[in-house]
Amino acid sequence: MLETMGWISLIPVVLAIVLALTTKNTIVSLTIACIVGCFLAGRGIWGFTDLLLEALGTPDFIWTALCILLFGVLIAYFERSGAIDGFSRVVEGKSLKKRGIQLIAWALGLFCFADSMSPLFVGSVMRKLSNHAKISREKLAYIAEYEGRSVNSHILVLVRNAIKNFESENGPIDGDISPDKNVKPSRP
C-alpha cells in the first residue's frame, strides 16, 4: 500500500530518524514509526501485529521475542526505580575484591534460565560494580553469557535425565511432556 502513497510514505522514515536522534532509543523510535506507517496505510494498530507476524515468522519465535522484550522492559523498570543502584550500594558496602564481584555476576547468571536473558540481566545489574572493580566489559560479558549458561545447561540435562529415569521405572508420563521436546537438549 505504501508504494502508491507518494511522499506520505516518507513520514514513518523521517519520524524514525527524528525520534532516534532525540530520544537516543532506536527500538522505541522504530516501533512508533512502524505503528504510524500502519495507520497511514489504513491498517490500524492490528496492521502492526500483522507486520510483526510477517517479519518475524512463526508464533513460537514471536513469543520468544516478546518474552525477551518484556524482560528488557522489566530490567529498564529496575534501573529507573533505583533497585539496581540500591543493589550496587549494598554490594559496594561489602568491600568485595575483583574476584568477589565476578562471583556475584556468575551467581546472578544462574537465575536466568533463558540463554538470551542472562547477559541483559547480569550486564545491567553488574555494570557499575564491574566498572568500579576495574573488570573489563568483555570479561563481564563472558561471565554473563557463558558461565551461568553452562551451569543452567547442566541443570536442564539433569532434569531431562530425571524425567527419562522416572519414565523407565514408572512408564511414560501422560500428556505432551517429552524430555526430548520440552527440556533443552545437552550441548556437545
Side-chain angles (χ1 to χ4, degrees):
M1 283 189 186
L2 286 177
E3 62 268 7
T4 62
M5 296 182 66
W7 65 270
I8 294 176
S9 63
L10 294 176
I11 292 174
V13 175
V14 172
L15 181 65
I17 292 170
V18 169
L19 286 175
L21 292 174
T22 56
T23 65
K24 307 275 193 266
N25 193 334
T26 313
I27 303 286
V28 172
S29 303
L30 289 172
T31 303
I32 291 171
C34 286
I35 291 171
V36 167
C38 288
F39 274 106
L40 289 174
R43 295 175 71 185
I45 191 70
W46 298 115
F48 182 66
T49 58
D50 294 340
L51 181 69
L52 285 177
L53 185 61
E54 291 171 16
L56 297 176
T58 66
D60 291 337
F61 182 78
I62 293 170
W63 176 249
T64 303
L66 183 62
C67 286
I68 293 170
L69 178 70
L70 292 176
F71 194 76
V73 168
L74 183 65
I75 294 297
Y77 174 74
F78 286 153
E79 286 178 350
R80 296 264 167 104
S81 70
I84 292 176
D85 285 336
F87 177 80
S88 297
R89 282 193 299 274
V90 168
V91 173
E92 283 176 351
K94 304 286 183 200
S95 300
L96 295 174
K97 304 269 189 239
K98 194 174 190 177
R99 183 170 284 181
I101 299 294
Q102 291 173 353
L103 185 63
I104 290 175
W106 175 81
L108 284 175
L110 295 178
F111 289 110
C112 295
F113 276 87
D115 292 340
S116 56
M117 294 180 194
S118 182
L120 180 65
F121 177 67
V122 175
S124 58
V125 171
M126 297 301 294
R127 185 177 305 121
K128 182 177 177 184
L129 293 168
S130 64
N131 287 344
H132 185 63
K134 295 188 171 78
I135 299 169
S136 69
R137 292 277 173 105
E138 291 82 10
K139 182 132 188 190
L140 178 63
Y142 176 79
I143 292 169
E145 179 70 29
Y146 297 108
E147 295 299 323
R149 179 188 290 180
S150 63
V151 173
N152 289 338
S153 295
H154 292 302
I155 291 170
L156 293 174
V157 168
L158 290 173
V159 169
R160 186 187 71 210
N161 291 338
I163 292 171
K164 282 185 178 181
N165 290 339
F166 178 84
E167 287 185 333
S168 67
E169 292 175 12
N170 301 310
I173 299 172
D174 293 335
D176 291 337
I177 296 176
S178 169
D180 297 323
K181 289 186 215 170
N182 301 102
V183 178
K184 185 177 177 179
S186 61
R187 294 191 175 132

